[in-house]
Each structure stands twice: as structure tokens, then as C-alpha cells.
Amino acid sequence: MGGRKISLASRVWNTPSLLVGGLMFAVLIGLAVFIPFISPYQPSEQNLSAFLQPPSAEHWLGRINLGATCLQD
């Protein structure tokens, strides 16, 4: 019973799968928090004058048939 106590930080640092999983979780939480800044376009937003436009500097993947941005880039 006189075993060494291992801190949580050292356990995470010494377990690669736990470290990678924690980093992936942190990235997903970061994306969820900052998604309004990453993709400012609404899925229902339409611009019929931009019908099937090719890729551009503003919309890297182009526009689809209703003028919405492809994959909400």
C-alpha cells in the first residue's frame, strides 16, 4: 500500500494514446467554440446571382446551384 502517487499530468504525459486523445478533444472543442469565425456563412443563405460560380479567393470550393457556398468554406 505504500506505492508512489503519480500525478494526473505525468500519467497523461507518459501515456501517448491519452495524450493524443486529449489533444484531439481539445481541437474539437476549439473548433466548436470558434466555428462562427471559421465559417461565417449560414447554410440557408442564397445568392442567386452567384449561381455555379467557379472557385475564387473568397469561396475556395466555388458555389453550388442556389448560390450557396460549397461545404460552407
Side-chain angles (χ1 to χ4, degrees), residues 9-24:
S10 80
R11 181 179 294 173
V12 169
W13 189 254
N14 292 325
T15 308
S17 60
L18 190 57
L19 183 62
V20 170
L23 288 173
M24 289 171 54

Side-chain angles (χ1 to χ4, degrees), residues 33-61:
V33 168
F34 293 107
I35 199 69
F37 304 108
I38 296 169
S39 180
Y41 306 106
Q42 296 296 320
S44 60
E45 182 181 330
Q46 294 182 5
N47 181 358
L48 296 178
S49 66
F51 179 74
L52 292 176
Q53 293 293 312
S56 66
E58 185 180 358
H59 302 286
W60 293 1
L61 299 176

